[in-house]
Amino acid sequence: MPVTSPTTFRTTYAEIAAKAGVSRATVSRVLNGDDRVNSDRAKAVIEAASKLGYRTNRAARALSTGRTGQIAVVIDDSPNVLSDPFWGVVLAGISRVLMVHDIHSVLMVSQLESEDSPIANYLEGGDVDGAIFLTVHKEQVVHSLVKKGLPVVVIGTPIDLKSDIVYVDTDNRLGAELATKHLLGSGCKKVATITGDISAVAGIDRLEGYKAAHKSLGHEFNPDLVAYGDWSFENAKTLTLRLLARNPDIDGIFAANDTMALGVMAAIIERGRMVPDHVAVVGFDDNLMAQTHRPGLTTIRQDIVGLGAAAAESMLAILQGETPVPKILPTELVLRESA
Amino acid sequence: MPVTSPTTFRTTYAEIAAKAGVSRATVSRVLNGDDRVNSDRAKAVIEAASKLGYRTNRAARALSTGRTGQIAVVIDDSPNVLSDPFWGVVLAGISRVLMVHDIHSVLMVSQLESEDSPIANYLEGGDVDGAIFLTVHKEQVVHSLVKKGLPVVVIGTPIDLKSDIVYVDTDNRLGAELATKHLLGSGCKKVATITGDISAVAGIDRLEGYKAAHKSLGHEFNPDLVAYGDWSFENAKTLTLRLLARNPDIDGIFAANDTMALGVMAAIIERGRMVPDHVAVVGFDDNLMAQTHRPGLTTIRQDIVGLGAAAAESMLAILQGETPVPKILPTELVLRESA
DNA sequence: AGTTGGCGTGAAACCGATTTCGTTATTTAA
DNA sequence: TTAAATAACGAAATCGGTTTCACGCCAACT
């Protein structure tokens, strides 16, 4: 039933074939770079195709080859995680790399509740050639997809490492160590940390880095200086107030992300103390806020676009039949005023 | 050529038909809600389908019907605009609405240079049923797509209004008026503004709102208090310094977005003055930074998710053959400390 | 001279869902 | 009771590429 008119008239192989005086099979061969076609004919086909403004019909190709040229980019979370610029940038990195390879990114934002939630179901359905997960809450679902043969790349280290999920991540541990060492190395005697959500590997690793820095610099690790946060501003602020009340002599705080670092600073100011004079602060991410806040936030920069790009490249590798190894991207300390 | 193994085995109409003892045609009718099928048979089909875990093959359907069930979401800009959380949220709003209608969002981030850039070309190609533009730099390209029959919705008011492009936007003019009135109404005598990029309609409208507020409250409009910005932090900061040097008695500034408002505040502080005691500041957007900055930024909140949702709904309407009218979403003043 | 082996090519089958068209079976109208 | 209309359904064509298969041809071997 013709609900709407066709948006455009497409030219088909049949027309090209007619114009170039060859068969559709030959058109296909030429247009797919099969070089065992007589070069004169090939030239004729190419010319006819360009004259007619040929555009390949992806649906037809997908039906025929079983490959869609589309990758799902899945955010296993509520839509508002996209309010964190981090994911937008990752997305851009993915999209850019895939687009170069003529692969489209299909965005799906929704909780992956169970193994037969609509999205999981859809992903198995074969309408995409693979899936890149930006955030994963139900790791079990991802495993089951992998087991079913779907090419999968996840961003962020999986909890269950023995599984053979392909992933890319930032070197959270080393980054956190860098941050903490900077604080300890610039004269701080008592450095606390506000962790991220430690049910996520990123949260754990950044805490591990904090501990490692203490160990490597000969400082004793004091559990009382660790406050367990959840990546959010408000929570970090509350925790910091509590921390400062209990340990008034804290003179440095490593917050596991920038948003929390801002919360930390807000708390410090509220207590009538100064950053960095009384308490130095280091964050993690180097997002826009770190740059625009006053005082500027000293933080750990991660290569966010690179993270997306790496994920996309791993996906491409899988699609080629390779089995890429996990990639861990380096970090870098960015000095501003807060520490 | 079997490059890789099929990700999954799909069940087809043929299998359902066999199991239910009907023809493929009948299966199609039942699964598409055609009610003139014997109800016993219909039941049998539905049961067979669910037992076999049937999942429709979108490529096959697209090839057959000419509709792909996919909408392109286009960002006509460099990938790093996605570092602005604004677009991420819009994206989420779009995606959510479309997903409910079983339509997928295909993300394309790339400059639309000319009418035959790869993306424009692709959009005409018929592999998507329509396109939603988040940012538009080459409006001409969009026009030409519309003319070619592609359903299009753009976010933000087009410059060339006489064209019949469907769009959705925030009420920038009224929002800016609200902001300026708040400053004027709470005792400020000399309120300046840093505009956005006034080659964009949002930039113009927010400036118009600023003027309208002056007029409606009986204040004279002073062109010397208008600094033409470009939405960016650094630029706003520079302009503010210049503004304050020239007019030391400025006691209020309306910045056309939050990022610039932070730049404005940074400049004010740098000049040794206080917010809001010496100079009150109001922004526009109510993004995360407005909330986390100290002092908290008084700003105009726009319904960003709603903007995306509205765009998606307009697109759905177009696909149904309707011709939706432009939607303008209301704004709201959010009071914090800066004014 | 008579195979054998490629090579270049086109005819036709195929992917899976949709839809037209025609055939039967069943009503309704005359 | 018969003709006409209607309903329910299946066979087959269709969408546009891709790929198998077989055929004709010429070069390279015994």
Side-chain angles (χ1 to χ4, degrees), chain A residues 248-300:
Chain A
D249 52 341
I250 286 174
D251 54 2
I253 299 183
F254 164 56
N257 74 359
D258 286 350
T259 304
M260 293 200 299
L262 299 189
V264 167
M265 289 199 279
I268 293 169
I269 307 291
E270 201 167 303
R271 294 272 296 179
R273 326 202 58 191
M274 305 270 285
V275 177
D277 313 72
H278 301 133
V279 186
V281 177
V282 178
F284 201 114
D285 280 351
D286 194 29
N287 66 21
L288 192 59
M289 294 184 281
Q291 300 164 39
T292 57
H293 191 272
R294 298 295 105 151
L297 179 63
T298 292
T299 189
I300 300 296

Side-chain angles (χ1 to χ4, degrees), chain A:
Chain A
M1 182 190 22
V3 178
T4 49
S5 59
T7 54
T8 323
F9 293 108
R10 338 169 108 286
T11 62
T12 69
Y13 275 12
E15 302 170 39
I16 298 176
K19 183 156 187 154
V22 301
S23 71
R24 284 155 52 215
T26 297
V27 174
S28 174
R29 287 192 263 259
V30 172
L31 264 34
N32 290 302
D34 187 328
D35 53 356
R36 17 172 225 182
V37 175
N38 175 295
S39 65
D40 285 342
R41 293 173 157 228
K43 210 180 300 170
V45 167
I46 290 178
E47 193 177 330
S50 94
K51 250 186 201 142
L52 294 169
Y54 176 73
R55 197 141 302 302
T56 129
N57 180 327
R58 294 190 144 224
R61 174 178 305 197
L63 181 56
S64 176
T65 61
R67 301 193 56 176
T68 59
Q70 299 193 142
I71 297 293
V73 180
V74 184
I75 297 185
D76 170 19
D77 208 327
S78 71
N80 64 22
V81 292
L82 271 174
S83 66
D84 185 334
F86 184 86
W87 297 116
V89 176
V90 172
L91 210 52
I94 292 173
S95 162
R96 176 151 51 165
V97 170
L98 292 184
M99 201 171 294
V100 168
H101 293 262
D102 198 29
I103 291 182
H104 295 309
S105 317
V106 178
L107 184 64
M108 332 198 80
V109 187
S110 172
Q111 257 114 325
L112 225 57
E113 287 114 11
S114 70
E115 291 181 37
D116 61 312
S117 63
I119 294 221
N121 239 309
Y122 169 76
L123 291 175
E124 298 170 28
D127 293 328
V128 291
D129 297 338
I132 298 177
F133 287 84
L134 299 204
T135 58
V136 174
H137 284 130
K138 286 272 186 291
E139 198 166 303
Q140 182 46 45
V141 178
V142 177
H143 279 124
S144 95
L145 287 170
V146 171
K147 215 161 289 165
K148 282 179 180 144
L150 183 75
V152 165
V153 174
V154 329
I155 292 187
T157 308
I159 297 174
D160 182 5
L161 258 181
K162 63 180 181 297
S163 76
D164 41 349
I165 293 185
V166 176
Y167 66 94
V168 301
D169 204 349
T170 289
D171 197 335
N172 289 303
R173 197 175 172 292
L174 206 57
E177 189 173 338
L178 221 59
T180 310
K181 275 186 176 167
H182 173 68
L183 286 166
L184 292 172
S186 54
C188 294
K189 300 288 178 215
K190 196 160 186 179
V191 174
T193 185
I194 315 283
T195 75
D197 173 6
I198 59 159
S199 73
V201 175
I204 299 172
D205 284 355
R206 292 182 193 179
L207 174 56
E208 287 304 316
Y210 165 86
K211 290 183 187 168
H214 279 74
K215 186 163 188 183
S216 113
L217 260 49
H219 288 248
E220 199 180 339
F221 169 68
N222 176 357
D224 204 39
L225 295 179
V226 177
Y228 295 90
D230 65 359
W231 305 121
S232 81
F233 177 88
E234 280 304 334
N235 180 259
K237 187 176 158 192
T238 311
L239 291 174
T240 304
L241 287 172
R242 210 174 295 162
L243 217 45
L244 290 175
R246 226 173 24 213
N247 304 82
D249 52 341
I250 286 174
D251 54 2
I253 299 183
F254 164 56
N257 74 359
D258 286 350
T259 304
M260 293 200 299
L262 299 189
V264 167
M265 289 199 279
I268 293 169
I269 307 291
E270 201 167 303
R271 294 272 296 179
R273 326 202 58 191
M274 305 270 285
V275 177
D277 313 72
H278 301 133
V279 186
V281 177
V282 178
F284 201 114
D285 280 351
D286 194 29
N287 66 21
L288 192 59
M289 294 184 281
Q291 300 164 39
T292 57
H293 191 272
R294 298 295 105 151
L297 179 63
T298 292
T299 189
I300 300 296
R301 171 178 301 160
Q302 46 176 331
D303 179 4
I304 310 182
V305 173
L307 203 57
E313 275 152 13
S314 292
M315 175 54 71
L316 291 170
I318 297 179
L319 293 179
Q320 305 261 309
E322 303 162 24
T323 57
V325 295
K327 271 182 225 157
I328 307 294
L329 276 59
T331 59
E332 172 191 5
L333 179 69
V334 179
L335 290 173
R336 294 207 181 84
E337 293 97 57
S338 73

Side-chain angles (χ1 to χ4, degrees), chain B residues 2 19 31 51 87 97 116 130 187 222 234 241 252 268 304 307:
Chain B
K19 182 155 188 156
L31 264 33
K51 246 183 204 145
W87 297 117
V97 171
D116 60 309
N222 177 358
E234 280 304 334
L241 288 172
I268 293 169
I304 310 184
L307 202 58

